[in-house]
Amino acid sequence: MSDVKVVTAAMLVIGDEILSGRTKDKNIGFVADYLTGLGIDLKEVRIVADEEADIVEAVNSLRTRYTYIFTSGGIGPTHDDITADSVSVAFGVPCIQHPEAVAILEEHYASTNLELTKSRMRMTRTPQGADLIHNSVSKAPGFRIENVHVMAGVPKIMQAMMDSIAPTLESGTKMLSRTIDCPFGEGAISGPLGEIQDNHSDTLIGSYPRYESGKYSTQIVVRGRSADLVDAAAVAINNMLDGI
Amino acid sequence: MSDVKVVTAAMLVIGDEILSGRTKDKNIGFVADYLTGLGIDLKEVRIVADEEADIVEAVNSLRTRYTYIFTSGGIGPTHDDITADSVSVAFGVPCIQHPEAVAILEEHYASTNLELTKSRMRMTRTPQGADLIHNSVSKAPGFRIENVHVMAGVPKIMQAMMDSIAPTLESGTKMLSRTIDCPFGEGAISGPLGEIQDNHSDTLIGSYPRYESGKYSTQIVVRGRSADLVDAAAVAINNMLDGI
């Protein structure tokens, strides 16, 4: 297992609307799937309000701990879009109008009947030293500063931004996964399953109860970075289930 | 506004399956709506893996900061269910078999053809000094220690546990909310909307872009704890929109 490379990430969702329940987040599940596909381990997610102190604290606490940070939300043109300012504060750099972002918006608005107002210019702001993150859906860019990737909250735009970031990310050894459907509740298998976990300590064995129509069943998931080790644990689990 | 009472909360979702993308969380949105309905402000959410150090750190960092903490996940009978142990570590107390939980499971399994095995007995464990949280769906209880409420991850059971906790919670002054549909993108309204926010600083005005079929529109949400102040801000916004 000496060739295993582990790359980690955290996600920070920024927005009062998620915490009030008004908007149901769709970005966490997408980013979780996306990073798993790239071989990057999502280790933590936080959701915070549109409040500078909360955003600064979360960014600074996460960015030193994980390889990459991905944020969603708060980069639009309105007064409650304070992610660029807050990330600048977190890094201790000025929040500037990024020249490339200004050029992009100038070109875009010249081709429409809309004016590039002072408010729309808010969407050109990034921390000094940031690179832009482009997206194929809308013109207003996100940005990256060091290991922090700042993306839009609108799912379609966030997803396009992930596509544009993906080629720049270092990938880790992919976590492989096997799912085994178990017709029994967790209580029926937990003893032997714990023993199998002990005997296959290079894999992570999770067990996920379902409760439908008054009946429990379980999905058992084996994860690991070696196909052989994952298969060996799966065989042990299937043998155990056959014996019940 | 002197009669306003603010009660805050954080939610902690525990589970590898959410971070890997295998399971899409359904509990955060439910808890957000539920707490808003009770007049409790959800201020932060974290999702962490099934790792003791991560759970302990999150519990200890959140429980001193907010009135209430609600956790979901990790209280089943299998080896990866380590929430009771981790919360005990966070509070510096032993993890014990709760006598009342033992009695509940003994009675339950006596009425079935299942055995109350050592693994199933895992579901009776709580930090010393905890009270049980009952639920109408399954027998295995959650628990509360000080301001931390530990609930199941299966949505139906978690929801039943919230119903059983609700009467014990202190309610704050409810955050009222008015939504105004705006046919324009955020860029068209962000200047005047920011001024309205400045003039109605006892309300929180949020603006949420939508992007459908190549067209932007916006939902503007005014929130506040006084109906009069929320109404006044909504009138100002409607007047502004009529003038565009």
Side-chain angles (χ1 to χ4, degrees):
Chain A
M1 301 289 287
S2 60
D3 292 344
V4 163
K5 185 169 140 201
V6 176
V7 179
T8 60
M11 179 170 187
L12 176 61
V13 176
I14 298 163
D16 290 352
E17 72 279 17
I18 308 291
L19 294 169
S20 74
R22 185 196 157 276
T23 302
K24 301 297 177 280
D25 169 80
K26 288 175 184 161
N27 292 332
I28 296 172
F30 178 87
V31 168
D33 283 334
Y34 203 104
L35 294 178
T36 297
L38 290 176
I40 296 173
D41 296 354
L42 181 61
K43 298 291 286 178
E44 182 172 349
V45 177
R46 295 194 190 180
I47 308 175
V48 298
D50 298 316
E51 290 180 22
E52 184 178 288
D54 295 355
I55 300 169
V56 170
E57 195 204 319
V59 167
N60 278 339
S61 138
L62 297 172
R63 73 189 175 94
T64 52
R65 215 179 297 182
Y66 303 106
T67 317
Y68 298 119
I69 309 301
F70 302 91
T71 81
S72 68
I75 62 167
T78 55
H79 63 276
D80 57 339
D81 290 306
I82 61 166
T83 301
D85 314 76
S86 305
V87 174
S88 301
V89 171
F91 279 90
V93 299
C95 188
I96 60 151
Q97 290 189 337
H98 193 290
E100 196 189 334
V102 173
I104 291 169
L105 290 198
E106 277 173 349
E107 193 189 330
H108 172 63
Y109 283 102
S111 74
T112 70
N113 57 356
L114 298 170
E115 224 180 310
L116 180 47
T117 56
K118 196 176 144 199
S119 327
R120 290 194 172 104
M121 282 293 279
R122 280 177 62 82
M123 294 188 287
T124 67
R125 291 170 319 130
T126 73
Q128 197 162 59
D131 296 319
L132 298 188
I133 298 173
H134 299 279
N135 76 84
S136 53
V137 174
S138 69
K139 288 298 158 186
F143 60 84
R144 180 189 68 76
I145 175 165
E146 295 185 14
N147 62 340
V148 178
H149 301 78
V150 173
M151 306 186 289
V154 176
K156 273 181 200 164
I157 302 177
M158 198 279 303
Q159 291 167 19
M161 287 180 174
M162 276 302 301
D163 285 339
S164 115
I165 295 167
T168 72
L169 300 174
E170 224 179 329
S171 288
T173 310
K174 273 192 199 174
M175 192 67 100
L176 306 169
S177 165
R178 289 268 306 263
T179 300
I180 297 156
D181 283 308
C182 160
F184 314 110
E186 285 191 306
I189 54 161
S190 51
L193 193 66
E195 283 169 31
I196 293 172
Q197 172 70 84
D198 289 342
N199 294 334
H200 294 80
S201 57
D202 279 333
T203 67
L204 289 165
I205 302 177
S207 105
Y208 305 108
R210 291 184 167 191
Y211 183 77
E212 275 166 318
S213 319
K215 196 181 170 313
Y216 283 98
S217 62
T218 308
Q219 283 199 317
I220 302 171
V221 177
V222 185
R223 295 187 307 138
R225 292 191 163 86
S226 147
D228 289 347
L229 295 177
V230 169
D231 284 347
V235 165
I237 292 166
N238 279 318
N239 288 343
M240 180 269 286
L241 292 177
D242 288 346
I244 293 183
Chain B
M1 302 290 285
S2 60
D3 292 344
V4 164
K5 186 169 139 201
V6 177
V7 179
T8 60
M11 180 170 185
L12 176 62
V13 176
I14 298 162
D16 289 352
E17 71 280 16
I18 308 290
L19 293 169
S20 74
R22 185 195 158 276
T23 302
K24 301 296 177 281
D25 169 80
K26 289 175 183 159
N27 292 332
I28 296 172
F30 178 87
V31 169
D33 282 334
Y34 204 103
L35 294 180
T36 298
L38 291 176
I40 296 173
D41 295 356
L42 181 62
K43 298 291 287 177
E44 182 171 350
V45 176
R46 295 193 190 180
I47 307 175
V48 299
D50 297 317
E51 291 180 21
E52 184 178 290
D54 295 356
I55 300 170
V56 170
E57 195 204 319
V59 167
N60 278 339
S61 139
L62 296 171
R63 72 189 175 95
T64 51
R65 216 179 296 182
Y66 304 106
T67 317
Y68 297 119
I69 309 302
F70 301 91
T71 81
S72 68
I75 62 167
T78 54
H79 62 276
D80 58 339
D81 290 307
I82 60 167
T83 301
D85 313 77
S86 306
V87 173
S88 301
V89 171
F91 279 90
V93 299
C95 189
I96 60 150
Q97 291 190 336
H98 194 291
E100 195 189 333
V102 174
I104 290 169
L105 289 198
E106 278 174 348
E107 192 189 329
H108 172 63
Y109 283 101
S111 74
T112 70
N113 56 357
L114 299 170
E115 225 180 309
L116 180 47
T117 56
K118 198 177 142 197
S119 328
R120 291 194 170 106
M121 281 294 279
R122 281 177 61 82
M123 295 188 286
T124 67
R125 290 171 319 130
T126 72
Q128 197 163 57
D131 296 318
L132 299 187
I133 297 174
H134 299 281
N135 75 84
S136 53
V137 174
S138 70
K139 289 299 159 187
F143 60 84
R144 178 189 67 77
I145 176 167
E146 294 185 14
N147 62 339
V148 177
H149 301 78
V150 173
M151 306 186 290
V154 176
K156 272 181 201 163
I157 301 176
M158 198 278 303
Q159 291 167 18
M161 287 181 174
M162 275 304 299
D163 284 339
S164 113
I165 295 166
T168 72
L169 301 174
E170 224 180 328
S171 288
T173 309
K174 272 191 199 177
M175 192 67 101
L176 307 168
S177 165
R178 289 269 305 263
T179 299
I180 298 156
D181 283 308
C182 159
F184 315 110
E186 285 191 307
I189 54 159
S190 50
L193 194 66
E195 282 169 32
I196 294 171
Q197 173 70 85
D198 290 342
N199 294 333
H200 295 80
S201 57
D202 279 331
T203 67
L204 290 165
I205 301 176
S207 106
Y208 306 109
R210 292 185 167 189
Y211 182 78
E212 275 167 318
S213 318
K215 197 182 170 312
Y216 284 98
S217 62
T218 307
Q219 283 200 316
I220 303 171
V221 177
V222 185
R223 295 187 307 138
R225 291 191 164 84
S226 146
D228 289 348
L229 295 177
V230 169
D231 284 346
V235 166
I237 291 166
N238 278 319
N239 288 343
M240 179 268 286
L241 292 177
D242 287 346
I244 293 184

